[in-house]
Amino acid sequence: MSATLRPAPATAGATTAPAARRRPALWRRRAVRAASLLAFVGLWQLLTAAKVRFWVRFDHLPTAVQVWQAFGRQLGTDQYWQDLADSLRRIGSGFLLAALLGVAAGVATARSRWAGDLLGPVLEVIRPVPAIALVPVAIMLFPDNEQGIVFITFAAAFFPVTVSTRHAVRAVPPLWEEAVRTMGGGRWRVLWSVVLPGALPGVVGGLSVGIGVSWICVISAEMVSGQFGVGYRTWQSYTVLDYPGVFVGMATIGLLGWLTSAAVELAGRRVTRWLPARPGSAG
């Protein structure tokens, strides 16, 4: 009896050993990433402080220290946080609507011939149009700027989500569906038990792309027709020649985009944790 129990500690040790080996590697990767960012900021400070002019005119740019000081000043104002909240509200509304309708449209056009024939041509004609080019249409369609900016944000994310979902659904192996049908599963059982779980990694990829494109378009829309938000404030800083303020806006946009993309990818990893982990995917 004791002989049958002896292998257990060895098995536990074997499972914990790879995790222990991965931890130092993860910290090394994070250290390299931090060092890369610090090196970029240091080079920026060096070139701008020395007012280097070599094809690119670094003497026209604020130094990293000046931008950091301006960033600290803006953090203490209510206006900065209000602009942040306005941009996040617009992104949240437009992206959530795009995620729901985009997944539905992608599944419908991939699974139904009628839906593909009815919606496919319209989507393919509109898809190449940049979302920011829809600003005049949004101004004509909606009574206020707020609804128009949300519409542009929705349009920016809708097509990446739709296309990724459609391709992911079509890539689900037919053998999986046949296995469920042989056990008596109907159309809806196949959809919920096979198609959607099988297409989930592709859907998450589309959502990740969509949130990034949404930020590009919402900031552009705020610059063109907004009255509040990070994009509007960044453009306003440029018009009054507050160049450190412009870079504060750019840094804020970058941080918001990174955090929201990371949140989407984290949620995607949680809902697809049944998939085998790929080497080097941690961190």
Side-chain angles (χ1 to χ4, degrees):
M1 192 70 172
S2 59
T4 60
L5 296 177
R6 280 175 190 166
T11 304
T15 56
T16 56
R21 286 195 298 267
R22 282 197 299 267
R23 278 194 290 268
L26 179 60
W27 283 108
R28 282 195 297 270
R29 290 184 60 194
R30 290 177 176 174
V32 169
R33 293 177 182 180
S36 173
L37 184 59
L38 290 175
F40 170 76
V41 174
L43 182 61
W44 172 15
Q45 175 66 26
L46 180 65
L47 293 173
T48 52
K51 300 187 182 301
V52 174
R53 291 176 62 94
F54 182 72
W55 184 51
V56 178
R57 300 177 297 177
F58 290 100
D59 56 333
H60 284 63
L61 301 179
T63 65
V65 173
Q66 290 173 333
V67 174
W68 179 258
Q69 291 170 346
F71 188 63
R73 289 192 298 269
Q74 291 199 26
L75 284 176
T77 64
D78 294 336
Q79 183 183 75
Y80 178 83
W81 297 105
Q82 183 62 47
D83 289 334
L84 210 68
D86 290 334
S87 294
L88 285 172
R89 185 182 67 251
R90 291 162 175 166
I91 277 286
S93 303
F95 179 73
L96 180 60
L97 189 61
L100 295 175
L101 295 183
V103 171
V107 172
T109 53
R111 298 287 297 175
S112 171
R113 182 179 301 175
W114 284 104
D117 291 340
L118 290 174
L119 299 178
V122 178
L123 295 177
E124 290 303 316
V125 168
I126 300 176
R127 184 165 66 93
V129 179
I132 194 61
L134 297 176
V135 169
V137 177
I139 293 173
M140 290 184 288
L141 282 177
F142 299 98
D144 56 42
N145 289 341
E146 188 69 23
Q147 296 175 353
I149 293 175
V150 171
F151 167 74
I152 292 169
T153 306
F154 158 77
F158 174 78
F159 292 103
V161 174
T162 301
V163 173
S164 296
T165 302
R166 185 176 63 196
H167 287 300
V169 169
R170 288 176 177 172
V172 174
L175 186 62
W176 295 1
E177 298 186 37
E178 293 173 7
V180 176
R181 292 186 188 278
T182 56
M183 293 186 292
R187 183 176 181 181
W188 290 104
R189 178 65 181 274
V190 169
L191 179 65
W192 288 106
S193 301
V194 177
V195 175
L196 291 181
L200 203 52
V203 174
V204 172
L207 292 173
S208 182
V209 173
I211 191 68
V213 179
S214 292
W215 272 113
I216 296 173
C217 291
V218 74
I219 294 300
S220 301
E222 288 177 348
M223 288 182 175
V224 173
S225 61
Q227 296 178 343
F228 307 100
V230 178
Y232 169 78
R233 202 65 57 190
T234 302
W235 182 253
Q236 188 183 54
S237 298
Y238 174 75
T239 59
V240 298
L241 305 182
D242 178 16
Y243 297 131
V246 173
F247 277 81
V248 169
M250 292 169 59
T252 302
I253 295 165
L255 287 172
L256 289 174
W258 173 60
L259 290 174
T260 50
S261 296
V264 170
E265 292 178 3
L266 178 61
R269 286 197 296 270
R270 292 290 178 87
V271 298
T272 59
R273 54 175 174 252
W274 46 271
L275 289 173
R278 295 183 178 181
S281 61

